[in-house]
Amino acid sequence: MLRDMVFSEEVCPVELEEIGKNIATSCGGLPLAIAVIGGVLRRSAKTLESWEQVAENLNAIVTWENEEHCFKILRMSYSWLPIRLKPCFLYMSRFREDETIEVSKLIKFWVAEGFLKPINGKILEDVAREYLDHLIDRNLIIVRKRGVSGKAKYCGVHDLVRDLSLKEARKENFTLVAKLSSNSAVFLGWSLNKDVELLWRFLTSLPLNMFKNIFVESIVHLVQCRYLSVPNLGRLLVEKKLRMLPVLWNLQTISINEFLTTITLPSMFWTMTQLRYINIISNIVLPEPPPKSQFYCTLENLQTLSFVRDFRCSEEIYKRIPNVKKLKIRYFSQDVEEGPYYSLSNLVHLCRLESLHLHGMMVSIKDISFPHSLRKLKIKRTNIWWSEMVAIGSLPNLEILVIGFQGVQGLEWNVTKGEFVRLKKLCVSDVDLKHWKTEEGSFPSLEELELWRLLLQELPDPLNFADIPKLRLINLIVRGKSIKSWAKQIKEEREGLGYGSIQIE
């Protein structure tokens, strides 16, 4: 087990075999200990001297019994971590036992805490992904679930690894900010004296989940706050906090999880150059950018913006958010088809955009020019027709397509060979589609297919899907038997072709 973890398909050098066996024996048959030490050896130099150092440390703790013995081995794995990875590992002590952690949120926390530094021009989020992969390779973080791209989507830590993180964090006084953040409601409920105010100035991460019973004005003291999460407040309190945003010059993340009809951002939003993520489930109204004659700021760090109501992608707007990667927009106005006003064709200028969520009956394909960088597209309640889907099918990097409630209009969808060449996941639900046809060779990269609440009368040839090499999952929520029978045929055809079996849910 240890050899396979360290060398994978490579051959273990002869000079390392004996010491490798000694290290494996010293792990006492504990799988977690072997996994962690395997991570240490995999990242260490494959030399006798390096392995002797590992063995020497292990030999000093072989007398301990099972759990305590394993814990000592874990501590050694921490001491061998590069300095840059240690804060990220210690941060895992903030999560509950057995908690499933959303990777995208974890990365936001790491960025907000200032653990990361740019490397070779890479953005901080890419650096965070590299750090996460290093900790996964060392078996200090467990992957709970991967996305269709293969990247970790949810993660966690073993109970013993979490205990190690807690003990080392306490030893290094790493938990100071975490304790202050967890008691944030107590501090905000006081009339701030000078000592408390001083503590506030050094807080960087703040989940404000008890705001209803506190003084809103105290937020102005959070001049160093970089992560602000504000759930369940009510409209008046949310709007008060948004008016205070210009005070929080260092703010990177705004997360508001209570649905309100509309939230209007203050005009000074355009001056907050540190912003990286705006995730508000209500409808955001963006203020008009101030004239260039007054001042001009570009929000170069902004990567996520959702949900924007009646998004006006004018030249003045897209030039101020040039690096946005994730955009969610809803349209309600009746004049959205008047192109110059909303300028959806200007989406093509967002050349780093990877994820787009479009919602609104006034949106049609003739108004939109998609950037080639797009990897994920979700559409609901649009005026796009199945006959126009070739424009989406030709996107060269599209990997995920989600067609939700009335996302596409019409009854017939014909997919030809050469469309959706990189699509890995297709979800279609709650549309009026009746006739679905595909040519042989369509969806060549498909891995997951979800069909929910459809009344299809005509389905593609099962062989066209059975012949897709990477197809592994068909998820169905349907009333009729015909789609279930069709999925079963695909499974049987694949087995006949010698492909691996697929899962049908």
Side-chain angles (χ1 to χ4, degrees):
M1 177 179 174
L2 182 64
R3 182 181 61 243
D4 291 344
M5 291 192 66
V6 176
F7 294 102
S8 187
E9 297 179 359
E10 299 177 20
V11 177
C12 174
V14 176
E15 64 271 18
L16 297 180
E17 284 189 2
E18 184 176 351
I19 192 169
K21 290 178 181 178
N22 292 338
I23 291 172
T25 301
S26 297
C27 289
L30 300 171
L32 178 61
I34 294 172
V36 172
I37 292 305
V40 171
L41 294 177
R42 186 166 58 239
R43 288 284 179 176
S44 301
K46 306 296 190 295
T47 64
L48 186 60
E49 180 182 8
S50 177
W51 283 36
E52 283 176 344
Q53 291 179 5
V54 175
E56 184 179 341
N57 283 280
L58 276 171
N59 288 334
I61 58 176
V62 292
T63 58
W64 291 82
E65 295 296 328
N66 291 348
E67 186 171 313
E68 185 63 27
H69 166 67
C70 186
F71 192 80
K72 290 288 184 179
I73 295 177
L74 289 174
R75 178 170 284 136
M76 191 189 79
S77 71
Y78 170 72
S79 66
W80 278 58
L81 277 179
I83 292 176
R84 69 182 185 277
L85 297 181
K86 286 186 175 181
C88 296
F89 173 71
L90 294 180
Y91 195 85
M92 305 307 290
S93 64
R94 297 189 63 177
F95 298 100
R96 297 185 302 274
E97 190 173 309
D98 297 323
E99 181 174 354
T100 296
I101 305 160
E102 189 176 355
V103 167
S104 61
K105 185 175 290 187
L106 176 63
I107 286 174
K108 292 182 180 70
F109 287 150
W110 284 356
V111 171
E113 293 290 356
F115 296 155
L116 315 167
K117 302 297 179 186
I119 300 175
N120 299 328
K122 295 178 182 177
I123 62 172
L124 294 179
E125 287 73 15
D126 289 344
V127 176
R129 276 281 178 185
E130 289 185 8
Y131 285 13
L132 178 68
D133 288 341
H134 289 328
L135 291 171
I136 290 171
D137 286 345
R138 288 172 165 82
N139 300 303
L140 292 173
I141 290 181
I142 304 167
V143 177
R144 303 277 195 211
K145 182 180 179 182
R146 294 187 182 273
V148 294
S149 65
K151 295 181 180 179
K153 189 172 183 179
Y154 295 94
C155 67
V157 290
H158 189 280
D159 291 348
L160 281 179
V161 175
R162 180 179 177 274
D163 290 344
L164 171 68
S165 180
L166 277 168
K167 290 183 179 181
E168 294 299 325
R170 289 174 186 140
K171 185 193 300 183
E172 299 187 20
N173 293 322
F174 185 81
T175 55
L176 175 62
V177 171
K179 286 179 179 177
L180 289 174
S181 295
S182 64
N183 293 325
S184 59
V186 176
F187 282 107
L188 278 172
W190 296 348
S191 292
L192 296 176
N193 58 37
K194 290 183 179 179
D195 293 334
V196 178
E197 182 176 331
L198 181 63
L199 291 172
W200 272 118
R201 291 182 185 277
F202 290 97
L203 281 179
T204 59
S205 179
L206 181 63
L208 302 179
N209 54 2
M210 303 119 163
F211 242 112
K212 289 185 179 179
N213 300 317
I214 58 179
F215 295 109
V216 174
E217 288 72 15
S218 58
I219 198 173
V220 301
H221 297 286
L222 295 172
V223 294
Q224 295 297 328
C225 183
R226 293 192 283 268
Y227 189 104
L228 183 61
S229 178
V230 188
N232 304 320
L233 295 177
R235 183 182 188 84
L236 292 177
L237 283 174
V238 168
E239 290 183 348
K240 267 191 174 183
K241 281 158 197 58
L242 290 173
R243 287 198 295 271
M244 293 175 182
L245 288 182
V247 179
L248 308 180
W249 296 109
N250 291 295
L251 200 60
Q252 296 178 0
T253 297
I254 304 171
S255 178
I256 299 178
N257 298 318
E258 179 171 320
F259 185 82
L260 303 169
T261 305
T262 302
I263 293 177
T264 301
L265 295 181
S267 59
M268 295 301 288
F269 157 78
W270 294 109
T271 68
M272 300 179 68
T273 57
Q274 298 301 312
L275 280 175
R276 307 182 80 88
Y277 309 97
I278 299 178
N279 190 11
I280 302 176
I281 66 172
S282 301
N283 299 308
I284 305 169
V285 175
L286 290 183
E288 285 292 328
K292 290 184 179 179
S293 58
Q294 293 183 11
F295 54 83
Y296 189 87
C297 292
T298 301
L299 306 187
E300 293 185 354
N301 293 312
L302 189 63
Q303 297 180 45
T304 298
L305 184 57
S306 67
F307 276 91
V308 184
R309 177 181 176 127
D310 297 336
F311 180 60
R312 304 179 185 184
C313 193
S314 63
E315 181 179 1
E316 188 65 24
I317 296 289
Y318 72 71
K319 283 188 174 181
R320 288 179 182 255
I321 54 171
N323 298 317
V324 70
K325 288 186 173 182
K326 186 174 183 178
L327 179 63
K328 297 182 180 181
I329 50 185
R330 295 187 180 109
Y331 286 100
F332 296 91
S333 295
Q334 298 299 314
D335 58 350
V336 71
E337 291 187 353
E338 297 178 10
Y341 186 70
Y342 288 95
S343 305
L344 290 180
S345 60
N346 282 333
L347 286 175
V348 72
H349 296 294
L350 297 175
C351 57
R352 297 184 185 276
L353 188 64
E354 295 182 359
S355 177
L356 176 63
H357 182 147
L358 274 174
H359 182 171
M361 283 302 293
M362 270 54 74
V363 175
S364 65
I365 203 78
K366 67 178 181 295
D367 300 318
I368 309 171
S369 294
F370 297 105
H372 285 182
S373 56
L374 204 62
R375 293 179 54 248
K376 179 178 180 179
L377 176 62
K378 183 174 182 178
I379 51 178
K380 292 176 66 177
R381 288 184 173 274
T382 73
N383 275 339
I384 297 172
W385 290 76
W386 292 110
S387 59
E388 300 172 317
M389 286 292 289
V390 64
I392 294 175
S394 63
L395 291 172
N397 295 300
L398 190 66
E399 294 181 346
I400 301 173
L401 175 61
V402 180
I403 301 172
F405 182 74
Q406 296 301 311
V408 183
Q409 305 299 315
L411 303 178
E412 183 173 333
W413 186 20
N414 296 314
V415 184
T416 60
K417 183 177 181 180
E419 294 182 48
F420 302 102
V421 292
R422 296 190 63 177
L423 196 71
K424 295 181 179 181
K425 184 173 182 177
L426 173 63
C427 307
V428 184
S429 67
D430 302 293
V431 292
D432 296 328
L433 182 65
K434 294 291 187 293
H435 307 280
W436 184 21
K437 303 174 184 177
T438 65
E439 289 185 359
E440 183 180 353
S442 303
F443 304 108
S445 304
L446 197 65
E447 297 178 17
E448 299 180 19
L449 174 64
E450 293 184 1
L451 303 175
W452 294 2
R453 294 178 293 274
L454 301 177
L455 292 174
L456 286 164
Q457 298 172 3
E458 183 179 3
L459 290 154
D461 185 339
L463 188 59
N464 290 350
F465 281 83
D467 203 26
I468 299 174
K470 295 183 179 180
L471 185 64
R472 57 183 175 81
L473 173 66
I474 298 179
N475 190 318
L476 303 174
I477 298 179
V478 291
R479 291 191 293 269
K481 294 182 179 180
S482 59
I483 299 182
K484 294 179 181 178
S485 175
W486 175 76
K488 187 178 179 181
Q489 281 184 272
I490 293 174
K491 183 181 177 71
E492 293 171 352
E493 291 281 4
R494 282 182 68 82
E495 292 170 354
L497 291 169
Y499 290 126
S501 183
I502 61 171
Q503 182 179 354
I504 299 177
E505 297 180 351

